[in-house]
């Protein structure tokens, strides 16, 4: 497959993700009403003044929708970046030192016994003051071992090749081996993992937000909108449906972008 | 046999490690149950009295031993408000177990059927539907799936109830109230596992002995059941086992949405109470359940590989 056909197939799957992300980021500037501005009665039906109607407090759903994405996105992106970075380094070390690999394996096994959502709940109930930082910390701890295992598997093949052995024989430092020799050869794994970790992080962040953890995440995010407006789903379905669709659209488009990217590269 | 014993010992070691993690999180993090119960403006002496009552003033190793020996024998102590955690769990855990088991059963059946169908016709209409739809349900959080289900099946079609009512036994009043919660839990898991089943079957079908079985003219069903499936089974079983954990995590959310009377809704509701003793007990019980399922997957793997080593 040539590069041009790859990119032609890549764009249609990447565009929706880019569009949702753009809307979530510039959304607050586009919101027609203030967040605490009531446009009508509680669960007002969609009308010309409020395209998606009102929520439980009669506030404009469109404005809330435009404002409610960037917080989730930012947290998701931070978690995805941190997990991928840690996992890439740990996975490389594991490939160079199998004994470290055994420890990562064990930690990942432990993670299987502790579902991430429960881990977040346990951690954030014990230490609610940790807020969004705490959420990031638990999500990174929960996601890294699994991702590191993927990196270790990918790096093992590279670590066995001659140029790594030559660098080791030269007496290069571990950091040189990881950042100069190993990771440049794992670009595809890096990018695919980054995308997958982002989907997973969005899942965790929005589920935590739905469970009102951390309490400081803000009241106008998409997950909280779904929860709070669920009671009025009969009166104004848009107040629940719109944020649900926003989360779904983002997750699916990023996921398919990752899949398209992985496929396009592997067949080149 | 020795290998299996080693596995059991390793899994038990992991379970103990999990309990230690739970204890450390609950005990060493700055949050304090006594303060949480009494509120911000409680006096120092009242907090000290409550701490003494909850045993927080004893040395750390003593507390860990007390909690651990209690947890190991199935006694999870009391919540900060003085209720017995065991009683709370006994009242709610069976309902969650019912929900999770039915969802797990649905996951296994759906993903086996879809995976089989999909791997048999990798480029047909099914594949073109399965590819994007499984990606959708894998990526989307359970509460979004649940919301869409409620909207379609309760509000637009009016076929199924959107909330669960309990009768006097504490269980949902009618079986149809289980359908939507089970679907919301099972659909994401089925999407994920269908992909695993398909992948495992395709890999197993590429093995040389399968080709020779096909060339020998064995019927398709025999090839699938006797030559492909046993090879794919360990991967499939492990994938199902890992789904159990995600199911319990998802139950927290799904039970809240459908007002289902299980421990998930209770735990999610205890967020404002900061009831760490309850959450710790739930994590410990969930971990134990998952460990048992993983052991089952190990046993299936050992059985599928019998006589092969």
């Amino acid at each position: 497959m040539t590069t041009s056909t790859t990119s032609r197939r890549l764009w249609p799957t990447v565009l929706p993700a880019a569009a949702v992300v753009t809307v979530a980021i510039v959304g607050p500037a586009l919101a027609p009403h203030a967040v605490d501005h009531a446009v009508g009665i509680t669960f007002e039906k969609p009308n010309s003044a409020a395209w998606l109607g009102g929520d439980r407090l009669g506030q404009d759903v469109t404005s809330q929708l435009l404002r409610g994405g960037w917080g989730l996105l930012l947290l998701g992106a931070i978690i995805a970046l941190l997990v991928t970075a840690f996992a890439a380094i740990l996975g490389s070390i594991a490939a160079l030192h199998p004994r470290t690999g055994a420890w990562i394996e064990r930690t990942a096994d432990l993670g299987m016994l502790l579902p991430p959502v429960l881990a977040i709940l346990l951690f954030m109930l014990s230490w609610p003051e940790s807020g969004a930082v705490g959420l990031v910390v638990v999500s990174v701890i929960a996601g890294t071992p699994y991702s590191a295992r993927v990196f270790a598997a990918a790096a093992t093949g590279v670590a066995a090749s001659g140029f790594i052995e030559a660098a080791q024989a030269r007496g290069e430092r571990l950091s040189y081996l990881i950042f100069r020799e190993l990771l440049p050869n794992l670009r595809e794994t890096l990018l695919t993992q980054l995308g997958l970790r982002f989907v997973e992080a969005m899942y965790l962040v929005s589920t935590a937000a739905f469970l009102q953890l951390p309490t400081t995440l803000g009241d106008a995010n998409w997950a909280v909108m779904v929860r709070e407006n669920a009671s009025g789903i009969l009166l104004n379905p848009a107040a629940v449906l719109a944020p649900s669709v926003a989360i779904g659209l983002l997750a699916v488009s990023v996921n398919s972008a990752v899949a398209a990217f992985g496929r396009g590269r592997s067949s080149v | 046999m020795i290998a299996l014993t080693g596995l059991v010992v390793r899994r038990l070691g992991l379970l103990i490690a999990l309990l230690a993690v739970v204890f450390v999180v609950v005990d060493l993090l700055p949050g304090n149950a006594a303060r949480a119960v009494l509120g911000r403006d409680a006096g120092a002496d009242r907090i000290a009295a409550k701490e003494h009552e909850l045993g927080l003033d004893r040395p750390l190793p003593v507390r860990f031993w007390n909690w651990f020996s209690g947890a190991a024998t199935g006694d999870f102590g009391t919540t900060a408000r003085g209720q017995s955690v065991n009683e709370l769990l006994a009242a709610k855990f069976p309902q969650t177990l019912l929900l999770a088991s039915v969802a797990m059963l649905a996951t296994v059946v759906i993903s086996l059927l879809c995976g089989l169908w999909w791997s048999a016709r990798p480029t047909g209409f099914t594949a073109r539907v399965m590819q994007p739809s499984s990606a959708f349900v894998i990526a989307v959080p359970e509460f979004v799936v649940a919301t869409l289900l409620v909207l379609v099946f309760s509000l637009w079609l009016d076929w199924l109830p959107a909330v669960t009512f309990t009768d006097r036994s504490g269980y949902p009043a009618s079986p149809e109230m289980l359908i939507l919660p089970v679907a919301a839990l099972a659909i994401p898991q089925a999407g994920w596992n269908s992909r695993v089943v398909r992948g495992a079957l395709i890999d197993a079908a590429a093995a040389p002995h399968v080709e020779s079985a096909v060339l020998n003219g064995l019927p398709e069903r025999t090839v699938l059941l006797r030559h492909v499936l046993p090879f794919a089974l360990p991967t499939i079983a492990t994938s199902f086992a890992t789904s159990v954990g995600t199911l319990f995590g998802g139950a927290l959310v799904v039970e809240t949405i459908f007002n289902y009377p299980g421990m998930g809704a209770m735990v999610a509701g205890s967020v404002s109470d900061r009831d760490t003793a309850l959450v710790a007990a739930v994590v410990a019980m969930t971990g134990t359940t998952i460990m048992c399922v993983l052991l089952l997957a190990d046993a299936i793997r050992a059985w599928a590989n019998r006589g092969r080593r």
Side-chain angles (χ1 to χ4, degrees):
Chain A
M1 192 189 285
T2 61
T3 321
S4 64
T5 51
T6 310
S7 58
R8 221 182 300 149
R9 286 202 186 168
L10 201 55
W11 273 113
T13 46
V14 175
L15 269 181
V20 183
V21 171
T22 313
V23 167
I25 292 172
V26 301
L30 302 176
H33 299 281
V35 166
D36 49 1
H37 174 82
V39 289
I41 56 167
T42 303
F43 296 120
E44 174 92 54
K45 290 250 185 268
N47 54 46
S48 58
W51 293 342
L52 293 171
D55 69 357
R56 70 194 185 286
L57 300 172
Q59 294 160 2
D60 180 29
V61 171
T62 317
S63 304
Q64 303 245 358
L65 189 69
L66 287 170
R67 278 173 214 275
W70 70 269
L72 297 178
L73 267 181
L74 184 68
L75 278 182
I78 292 173
I79 294 170
L81 277 174
L82 286 176
V83 168
T84 311
F86 287 143
I89 294 170
L90 278 175
S92 306
I93 296 177
L96 296 168
H97 298 279
R99 213 175 283 173
T100 320
W103 275 105
I104 292 174
E105 195 91 356
R106 262 168 240 164
T107 324
D109 281 349
L110 183 62
M112 267 155 86
L113 294 184
L114 183 61
V117 177
L118 274 177
I120 289 176
L121 192 68
L122 182 66
F123 185 90
M124 306 222 54
L125 284 187
S126 303
W127 193 16
E129 292 82 9
S130 60
V133 178
L135 180 61
V136 170
V137 169
V138 196
S139 307
V140 170
I141 294 175
T144 302
Y146 177 79
S147 184
R149 203 146 70 164
V150 177
F151 273 104
T156 309
V158 185
S161 46
F163 65 93
I164 299 278
E165 283 174 10
Q168 271 174 322
R170 283 204 304 274
E172 299 286 5
R173 281 212 316 266
L174 187 63
S175 58
Y176 180 89
L177 287 176
I178 293 173
F179 292 108
R180 292 293 187 78
E181 305 279 2
L182 264 179
L183 289 183
N185 288 295
L186 294 175
R187 262 164 303 187
E188 280 164 40
T189 314
L190 262 173
L191 287 167
T192 318
Q193 276 296 307
L194 191 62
L196 287 176
R197 290 298 114 202
F198 180 72
V199 176
E200 177 68 20
M202 277 299 296
Y203 169 86
L204 282 183
V205 171
S206 56
T207 302
F210 182 85
L211 293 171
Q212 295 179 318
L213 295 164
T215 39
T216 49
L217 199 59
D219 352 296
N221 74 63
W222 292 339
V224 171
M225 284 173 73
V226 176
R227 181 195 177 105
E228 300 289 328
N229 295 332
S231 58
I233 195 169
L234 269 177
L235 301 164
N236 181 14
V240 182
L241 199 55
S244 295
V245 169
I247 292 175
L249 203 62
L250 182 68
V252 171
S253 46
V254 172
N255 205 2
S256 58
V258 174
F261 186 82
R263 215 176 20 245
R265 280 308 168 102
S266 61
S267 60
V268 168
Chain B
M1 201 58 220
I2 294 167
L4 202 64
T5 320
L7 264 174
V8 173
V9 169
R10 221 184 83 177
R11 295 250 185 260
L12 278 177
L14 281 173
L15 188 64
I16 293 172
L18 174 76
L19 290 180
V21 168
V22 168
F23 179 80
V24 166
V25 168
V26 172
D27 212 79
L28 293 187
L29 285 182
N32 185 323
R35 215 172 290 267
V37 181
L38 294 175
R40 251 165 231 274
D41 33 78
D45 49 335
R46 274 187 66 203
I47 289 180
K50 189 76 184 174
E51 276 179 351
H52 182 72
E53 185 194 322
L54 296 172
L56 292 177
D57 53 349
R58 277 174 290 170
L60 185 70
V62 177
R63 272 184 289 155
F64 180 62
W65 177 247
N66 282 343
W67 187 82
F68 181 75
S69 54
T73 53
D75 175 17
F76 292 106
T78 55
T79 68
R81 290 187 189 285
Q83 292 161 290
S84 157
V85 174
N86 281 35
E87 276 173 27
L88 284 175
L89 285 182
K92 301 285 185 182
F93 191 66
Q95 286 90 322
T96 296
L97 206 59
L98 172 73
L99 178 67
S101 319
V102 179
M104 194 63 215
L105 193 69
T107 304
V108 170
V109 173
I110 296 172
S111 49
L112 279 180
L113 288 178
C114 288
L116 274 170
W117 187 270
W118 193 357
S119 68
R121 290 158 188 77
T123 53
F125 174 74
T126 326
R128 256 176 282 153
V129 177
M130 286 291 293
Q131 182 71 31
S133 58
S134 64
F136 177 82
V137 295
I138 290 168
V140 167
E142 284 96 353
F143 69 89
V144 174
V145 176
T147 309
L148 297 178
L149 286 175
V150 167
L151 201 70
V152 173
F153 291 102
S154 302
L155 301 180
W156 288 346
L157 299 174
D158 202 16
W159 287 350
L160 294 164
V163 286
T164 320
F165 300 105
T166 51
D167 57 13
R168 233 175 297 146
S169 64
Y171 282 91
S174 73
E176 64 185 29
M177 290 175 180
L178 267 172
I179 296 178
L180 283 186
V182 163
L185 275 178
I187 287 173
Q189 297 308 316
W192 172 254
N193 284 303
S194 301
R195 293 193 153 205
V196 175
V197 170
R198 166 182 173 264
L201 286 177
I202 287 178
D203 283 349
H209 74 275
V210 175
E211 196 179 346
S212 96
V214 173
L215 289 175
N216 281 335
L218 292 178
E220 195 180 352
R221 176 198 291 258
T222 315
V223 173
L224 186 67
L225 288 182
R226 309 203 60 168
H227 299 270
V228 177
L229 212 51
F231 269 74
L233 207 53
T235 315
I236 297 173
T238 312
S239 173
F240 283 147
T242 53
S243 280
V244 174
T246 327
L247 268 181
F248 274 106
L252 284 179
V253 170
V254 169
E255 289 185 3
T256 317
I257 293 177
F258 292 101
N259 196 23
Y260 185 89
M263 71 176 185
M266 180 175 63
V267 167
S270 70
V271 167
S272 53
D273 278 2
R274 281 207 212 168
D275 225 326
T276 37
L278 185 59
V279 181
V282 169
V283 171
M285 287 189 73
T286 311
T288 314
T289 313
I290 297 171
M291 190 202 68
C292 293
V293 180
L294 283 174
L295 277 177
L296 191 68
D298 290 336
I300 290 176
R301 188 197 312 225
W303 176 79
N305 288 337
R306 68 197 178 284
R308 211 168 277 159
R309 259 179 250 155

